[in-house]
Amino acid sequence: MKSFIKYTFSTIVGVLIAGIIMVAGLVVVGTAMALSDDTAPVEVKDDSVLRLRLSGEIVEKQDADAISGMLGISDMTQRQGLNDIVGAIEKAARNENIKGLYIEAGMLQADYATLQEIRKAVIEFRKSRKWVVAFADEYTQGAYYVCSAADKVLLNPQGMLDLHGISSKPMFLKDLLAKVGVKMTVVKVGKFKSATEQYTEEQMSEANREQTTRYISNIWNVVLQDISKSRRISIDSLNIFADEMTSLQGAGYLKQHRLIDKTLYQNEVEAYLNTLLKKDKDEKVEMVGCAALNRSTIESIVSDNKIAVYYCEGSIVQNQESGMVMGDAGIVSKKMVKDLDKIAKDDDIKAVVIRVNSGGGDAFASEEIWNSVVKLKARKPVVISMGGMAASGAYYLSAGASWIVAQPTTLTGSIGIFGCFPDMSNLMQQKLGIKYDNVKTNKHADFSILQTARPFNAEEEAYLQAYINRGYELFCKRVADGRKISIGQVKQIAEGRVWTGADALRIKLVDEIGGMPEALKKAATMAKIKDEDYETVAYPKAKTWMEQLTETAGTDDELDQQLRLTLGAFYEPFVLVRQLQHQSPVQARCEIVQIAN
């Protein structure tokens, strides 16, 4: 008994000591984070230059990563927020102490609608009669698209510039699944709904090839027109350069054809900038980054009129756990519904802009968010600003808004749904040798969305198709009601077809071509706010360091990012296997293969 009491007491003491150490550790971590959180206003010195590092992944909104920052972890998947980049460029244009914009381009991952937003901000910056200079050791096509708007485009003498056109290379997994004994039973509505082809086909259907050809051609034409206008090079010439593989051509070729203006090494750039600043070439150039400039209190707006900007990016899921399994918990319907309900009740918020960059996801979650958008619209204007993609379930939730703004290169529409139901009976019984027997009271008592004992029969597949058909009819009705057109008109442009923003305007799926500035302007107008007398408030709210710490401890997000980097093209098949048992079978999703830039 004495031994039991002694050991029990020791255990309790040990737990208490461990708890004290953990709390003390959190206090130390929190203090370190607080001290390292450089949020003090930045003083911008005279003759300063805004430096934009155009590299890494550009997302719609990027909150500070307190954990990695404090630990000094190198971020292999560097991310920047589009809102931070554009906001800094706009501030720099109005700041008298900033004389120019220096774009330092590198390896870049972003969609063309995102790049259009940045490029337009650069063009607006030039209207302030300040210069823009771009430099790179290597220009990716997407980076060059932005940098071509600069006054001067500089390149390392041994550098490269990639201009190759746009392609889309879908991956087909039918044979891979067959090798492990899995067959996907697919039911869908819409001949253009191509997301399921990866499970059932070995190549693109003619319908998918038709729509893909159209949207990549439309995007490429926008890129060509913009570069042509800025660089004063004909579109025909640009196409010839792309066919001649500019990435393998020397700097002399690039300069001869006016794709660049000058060659310089990296350590010579500051001297060149000093000539523009009319200073001695050996002086240090005062550079200010986007993050630092955004911390400046200069030009900050405080108003009783607030416009909420709600960022929606990634897959649409019902809950955080589903998103974690899929490697993407971007738009969680349960959280977004709560957030929109709070915004609706906040009388200080006069209008809402929902920024969407998503290929959709869970059909039920999309319906939940659509319902909240409609309820929100009943109390205040709701404007959708579409990024690179707002398709399928993402278009579903957008359809209930007051007004929709899209870029010409936005991929949208894809009005259709599908269901993918894994038949794993061959895997379980033939590959693994597991046998099943069965006793049941009704003929479908052993039916399961994830079949392991037997394939689906014809009657069950008919029921599944009817279920999907009802979902499609509801989707079409939501679009018809929101866009104030007939269901017949919706079905003529639906069938799961993907449209660019330019086409979507013509067929009345969107109301206006533009980006966030146009969306905010429309929201202010609809809310009867005059003279831009409003303050923007970003949602969802940024997580505190403690929330980041607890979430990091409970998720494998960092591991997932490293797997994406390591596996490359094999990442998607890996995720597919992980998703089979967890993903909602009914999806309003548009699978667009990453368009190379």
Side-chain angles (χ1 to χ4, degrees):
M1 185 66 181
K2 289 182 179 178
S3 297
F4 173 76
I5 293 173
K6 181 177 71 174
Y7 289 131
T8 301
F9 180 74
S10 299
T11 301
I12 293 172
V13 171
V15 170
L16 288 173
I17 292 173
I20 292 169
I21 292 172
M22 181 177 291
V23 171
L26 289 175
V27 171
V28 171
V29 169
T31 303
M33 288 180 174
L35 293 174
S36 65
D37 184 18
D38 185 11
T39 58
V42 174
E43 179 186 353
V44 180
K45 298 179 181 179
D46 192 23
D47 288 337
S48 289
V49 175
L50 174 64
R51 175 165 57 189
L52 166 58
R53 287 194 168 97
L54 194 64
S55 58
E57 182 184 5
I58 299 177
V59 295
E60 295 296 335
K61 175 177 174 283
Q62 176 66 10
D63 296 326
D65 184 352
I67 308 299
S68 297
M70 185 204 67
L71 298 176
I73 298 173
S74 174
D75 188 1
M76 295 175 65
T77 55
Q78 177 193 354
R79 290 184 176 184
Q80 297 185 73
L82 175 62
N83 60 328
D84 291 330
I85 293 172
V86 173
I89 295 173
E90 290 174 349
K91 275 190 174 184
R94 297 190 293 265
N95 192 316
E96 294 181 356
N97 290 338
I98 293 180
K99 307 304 181 185
L101 168 61
Y102 169 55
I103 306 175
E104 194 173 82
M107 300 305 293
L108 181 65
Q109 181 182 341
D111 56 67
Y112 280 100
T114 294
L115 299 177
Q116 275 189 292
E117 297 259 1
I118 300 172
R119 196 176 194 279
K120 184 175 180 181
V122 170
I123 291 171
E124 290 298 314
F125 179 88
R126 289 182 61 183
K127 291 179 181 178
S128 66
R129 298 186 178 181
K130 300 179 181 183
W131 48 261
V132 180
V133 171
F135 170 83
D137 291 321
E138 298 179 357
Y139 285 105
T140 64
Q141 182 167 278
Y144 182 71
Y145 172 59
V146 174
C147 294
S148 64
D151 295 287
K152 297 294 179 182
V153 178
L154 314 179
L155 177 69
N156 185 302
Q158 303 305 317
M160 59 159 268
L161 187 156
D162 194 7
L163 192 70
H164 57 266
I166 296 176
S167 68
S168 177
K169 294 189 292 184
M171 181 184 294
F172 298 92
L173 308 173
K174 176 185 175 183
D175 290 346
L176 170 66
L177 293 173
K179 286 181 179 180
V180 297
V182 176
K183 177 185 177 183
M184 299 296 285
T185 299
V186 171
V187 288
K188 65 174 186 174
V189 180
K191 68 177 182 178
F192 293 99
K193 199 68 179 172
S194 60
T196 60
E197 289 183 3
Q198 61 181 316
Y199 308 126
T200 61
E201 309 298 327
E202 296 178 357
Q203 61 183 14
M204 300 171 74
S205 66
E206 287 306 311
N208 189 22
R209 189 175 300 278
E210 175 190 341
Q211 72 172 348
T212 304
T213 300
R214 181 170 180 83
Y215 68 67
I216 67 172
S217 297
N218 287 353
I219 293 172
W220 180 235
N221 286 336
V222 170
V223 172
L224 289 175
Q225 288 167 14
D226 289 345
I227 294 176
S228 174
K229 184 176 180 181
S230 295
R231 298 299 302 172
R232 298 179 182 177
I233 304 172
S234 72
I235 289 175
D236 288 342
S237 295
L238 289 171
N239 271 317
I240 291 172
F241 303 154
D243 290 340
E244 291 180 350
M245 298 184 70
T246 60
S247 61
L248 302 181
Q249 302 290 345
Y253 171 97
L254 301 173
K255 189 173 180 181
Q256 175 189 347
H257 294 295
R258 300 199 307 279
L259 291 168
I260 64 171
D261 297 293
K262 191 177 181 67
T263 57
L264 287 175
Y265 287 100
Q266 174 78 61
N267 59 7
E268 298 172 330
V269 173
E270 280 206 27
Y272 179 79
L273 296 181
N274 272 323
T275 63
L276 300 177
L277 293 168
K278 299 177 181 177
K279 298 169 68 174
D280 186 277
K281 67 177 183 178
D282 294 325
E283 283 193 52
K284 179 178 175 56
V285 177
E286 292 292 342
M287 299 276 195
V288 57
C290 291
L293 186 60
N294 282 324
R295 288 199 300 268
S296 172
T297 56
I298 298 175
E299 301 286 343
S300 61
I301 299 172
V302 178
S303 172
D304 291 334
N305 300 318
K306 291 179 172 56
I307 295 180
V309 179
Y310 198 102
Y311 290 90
C312 297
E313 185 169 23
S315 293
I316 301 173
V317 296
Q318 293 184 40
N319 50 61
Q320 192 78 18
E321 292 72 25
S322 299
M324 286 163 55
V325 169
M326 296 176 66
D328 178 4
I331 306 171
V332 180
S333 64
K334 294 187 184 305
K335 182 180 188 318
M336 187 169 175
V337 166
K338 290 180 181 178
D339 287 345
L340 294 185
D341 184 51
K342 289 180 181 178
I343 291 171
K345 295 173 182 175
D346 189 336
D347 293 334
D348 291 335
I349 295 175
K350 310 303 181 184
V352 181
V353 173
I354 301 178
R355 175 71 176 187
V356 182
N357 198 343
S358 167
D362 188 297
F364 180 76
S366 302
E367 164 74 9
E368 282 188 312
I369 298 172
W370 168 87
N371 182 57
S372 290
V373 170
V374 171
K375 288 182 176 179
L376 178 62
K377 183 179 70 172
R379 303 186 68 159
K380 55 195 69 178
V382 179
V383 176
I384 300 292
S385 173
M386 293 182 169
M389 183 184 294
S392 202
Y395 187 81
Y396 195 130
L397 71 87
S398 302
S402 315
W403 192 260
I404 300 177
V405 181
Q407 292 283 12
T409 56
T410 296
L411 298 178
T412 188
S414 191
I415 300 166
I417 67 172
F418 64 87
C420 287
F421 305 92
D423 172 9
M424 302 178 71
S425 57
N426 189 38
L427 168 64
M428 303 301 287
Q429 298 184 60
Q430 301 301 320
K431 303 288 184 180
L432 301 179
I434 299 173
K435 303 303 179 184
Y436 295 90
D437 206 340
N438 188 26
V439 178
K440 57 184 179 180
T441 59
N442 296 80
K443 62 180 179 178
H444 299 301
D446 60 339
F447 171 83
S448 172
I449 293 299
L450 180 67
Q451 289 284 37
T452 56
R454 63 172 178 80
F456 297 102
N457 60 46
E459 185 176 13
E460 289 165 344
E461 288 189 17
Y463 279 123
L464 290 172
Q465 185 65 62
Y467 179 60
I468 296 298
N469 289 347
R470 289 196 301 274
Y472 178 68
E473 293 297 325
L474 180 61
F475 194 165
C476 289
K477 184 177 187 308
R478 297 306 190 213
V479 175
D481 291 345
R483 303 304 302 161
K484 296 180 173 58
I485 56 179
S486 69
I487 290 179
Q489 288 175 289
V490 172
K491 289 186 175 181
Q492 287 179 2
I493 56 177
E495 293 283 337
R497 179 153 190 170
V498 178
W499 303 93
T500 60
D503 280 338
L505 179 67
R506 175 177 55 81
I507 59 177
K508 299 182 180 179
L509 287 179
V510 306
D511 299 293
E512 183 181 356
I513 294 297
M516 276 294 292
E518 289 76 15
L520 286 167
K521 182 178 180 180
K522 184 64 181 181
T525 300
M526 296 181 78
K528 299 180 180 179
I529 300 172
K530 297 180 180 179
D531 302 322
E532 296 188 0
D533 177 25
Y534 63 84
E535 174 186 354
T536 59
V537 184
Y539 290 87
K541 294 294 187 181
K543 295 181 177 66
T544 65
W545 68 266
M546 178 60 80
E547 289 171 331
Q548 290 185 37
L549 180 64
T550 54
E551 287 186 9
T552 300
T555 70
D556 60 352
D557 183 65
E558 183 65 27
L559 174 61
D560 191 82
Q561 289 189 30
Q562 298 306 318
L563 281 171
R564 186 184 290 273
L565 283 171
T566 303
L567 297 176
F570 299 102
Y571 175 80
E572 295 300 334
F574 169 79
V575 171
L576 170 65
V577 174
R578 185 173 64 170
Q579 291 174 4
L580 285 178
Q581 291 185 315
H582 300 278
Q583 178 176 293
S584 174
V586 182
Q587 294 282 302
R589 181 184 294 276
C590 177
E591 296 288 356
I592 297 295
V593 176
Q594 177 67 38
I595 297 173
N597 60 32

